[in-house]
Amino acid sequence: MRNHTTVTEFILLGIPDTEGLETALFFLFSSLYLCTLLGNVLILTAIFSSSRLHTPMYYFLGNLSIFDMGFSSTTVPKMLSYLSGHTHIISFQGCVTQLFFYHFLGCTEGFLYTVMAYDRFVAICYPLRYTVIMNHRVCFILATGTWMSGCVHAIVLTSLTFKLPYCGSNQVGYYFCDIPAVLPLACEDTSLAQRVSFTNVGLVSVICLFLIFVSYTHIGISILKIRSTEGRQRAFSTCSAHLTAILCAYGPVIIIYLQPNPSPLLGAIIQMLNNLVTPMLNPLIYSLRNKDVKSALRNVFLKMGLALEHE
């Protein structure tokens, strides 16, 4: 038997192969993070301020904006801290918290995109019954279900990861605490945690993608049956933003978790797309081609301008 010291803190080594680029990366990532927060706050403000946006579609979009801000805030502030010259150390509890919220919000995103696809399916395939099917109670249950499911998913992965003893090296070879980076530091066999995390993440992604595919197959068939060109374009425009957001969100997840031996630098770049770029793009994706959101934002800026003039 050998004596071991229990790990009480971890050292985040940062993004692989980026030594000497800390200042440039700090300004780049801080700009992206601020754009993410600003864009999603504007979306939420538009939804709350306009009665025309008090519909199921925008209710779920508001949930997505809250998720995007939380998801970025799970990893980015600590990364910006050590890029600006502060310590790379994160406490054991801090690492547990970071991993939990990363997978909690990441899983919630998958379920939320699935619910949004179902909402579009009902709106386009059953337009006359839409308000009856997607009533306030159903929307609340669906939204609450996504957050609760994500929480259960994260509890399982976090408990499996951190019930293992950590008594050796405390250097995490990544820029935040994620399962593939933390598990190799455990002092016992990690095969069970690796299998469960791989299966869990993969299964959630596959199920969500399958349900989204089924919804959009029915949506595509319904759009083809629409006789008027204007109606067809309107239906397609409504769905194209959601499909673009799904591709941005699921692409990085599939590449990261389904590659047997991904390059550390490639993995970090793809993870950055998922953590920073996708949450920043979502407000643009959902507002640029949406007349209602643009109109609501114009009204918000107009009210702000009038308020400043009165002051």
Side-chain angles (χ1 to χ4, degrees):
M1 297 291 292
R2 293 181 298 169
N3 292 327
H4 290 293
T5 303
T6 303
V7 171
T8 58
E9 59 187 22
F10 292 99
I11 300 172
L12 300 173
L13 298 183
I15 305 167
D17 305 322
T18 57
E19 291 80 5
L21 300 174
E22 288 81 5
T23 304
L25 291 176
F26 172 80
F27 284 109
L28 173 63
F29 294 146
S30 57
S31 301
L32 292 174
Y33 183 53
L34 288 173
C35 289
T36 298
L37 297 180
L38 178 62
N40 284 288
V41 166
L42 286 174
I43 288 289
L44 286 171
T45 305
I47 292 170
F48 281 118
S49 65
S50 175
S51 58
R52 293 180 63 186
L53 301 184
H54 294 173
T55 63
M57 175 181 170
Y58 296 107
Y59 174 71
F60 295 126
L61 180 57
N63 275 265
L64 183 64
S65 290
I66 294 170
F67 152 78
D68 281 337
M69 289 189 288
F71 193 55
S72 294
S73 300
T74 301
T75 58
V76 175
K78 179 61 182 176
M79 179 182 66
L80 293 177
S81 174
Y82 62 70
L83 283 175
S84 63
H86 293 86
T87 180
H88 284 240
I89 293 173
I90 184 171
S91 67
F92 188 90
Q93 292 80 9
C95 192
V96 173
T97 304
Q98 196 176 58
L99 190 145
F100 170 80
F101 277 102
Y102 181 77
H103 285 277
F104 165 46
L105 294 169
C107 182
T108 303
E109 176 194 36
F111 289 131
L112 193 56
Y113 279 128
T114 307
V115 168
M116 292 172 79
Y118 174 71
D119 171 68
R120 292 298 84 208
F121 160 72
V122 176
I124 292 172
C125 299
Y126 303 98
L128 299 178
R129 296 170 56 197
Y130 177 64
T131 54
V132 176
I133 297 171
M134 298 300 291
N135 57 57
H136 293 296
R137 182 170 173 271
V138 169
C139 290
F140 177 77
I141 290 171
L142 288 172
T144 305
T146 62
W147 291 92
M148 294 299 293
S149 301
C151 186
V152 171
H153 168 86
I155 288 171
V156 170
L157 295 184
T158 307
S159 59
L160 276 174
T161 302
F162 289 102
K163 78 173 185 178
L164 297 167
Y166 290 86
C167 49
S169 172
N170 68 340
Q171 295 189 342
V172 178
Y174 211 42
Y175 69 94
F176 74 100
C177 291
D178 196 11
I179 294 172
V182 172
L183 273 183
L185 306 179
C187 300
E188 289 185 1
D189 180 37
T190 61
S191 56
L192 175 63
Q194 286 177 332
R195 284 198 301 270
V196 171
S197 62
F198 181 83
T199 305
N200 204 338
V201 172
L203 197 61
V204 167
S205 299
V206 168
I207 290 173
C208 290
L209 280 171
F210 174 74
L211 293 174
I212 290 168
F213 175 77
V214 170
S215 294
Y216 272 98
T217 301
H218 284 90
I219 288 170
I221 293 169
S222 296
I223 289 175
L224 291 174
K225 291 179 180 177
I226 298 174
R227 294 180 179 179
S228 68
T229 306
E230 184 183 349
R232 218 180 268 180
Q233 287 177 347
R234 185 181 176 84
F236 179 76
S237 177
T238 305
C239 298
S240 60
H242 185 225
L243 281 172
T244 306
I246 288 169
L247 290 173
C248 292
Y250 275 101
V253 173
I254 292 169
I255 294 172
I256 290 168
Y257 284 97
L258 299 186
Q259 277 194 10
N261 294 302
S263 160
L265 180 58
L266 176 63
I269 292 170
I270 293 169
Q271 201 101 6
M272 282 293 174
L273 291 174
N274 199 31
N275 294 4
L276 262 177
V277 179
T278 301
M280 183 194 70
L281 289 178
N282 277 341
L284 295 174
I285 291 169
Y286 283 101
S287 62
L288 286 178
R289 298 186 63 183
N290 191 307
K291 294 178 182 177
D292 293 334
V293 174
K294 286 191 284 189
S295 175
L297 285 174
R298 275 196 298 268
N299 290 335
V300 168
F301 288 128
L302 184 62
K303 289 177 183 177
M304 289 172 62
L306 290 172
L308 290 172
E309 283 181 9
H310 286 305
E311 290 180 5

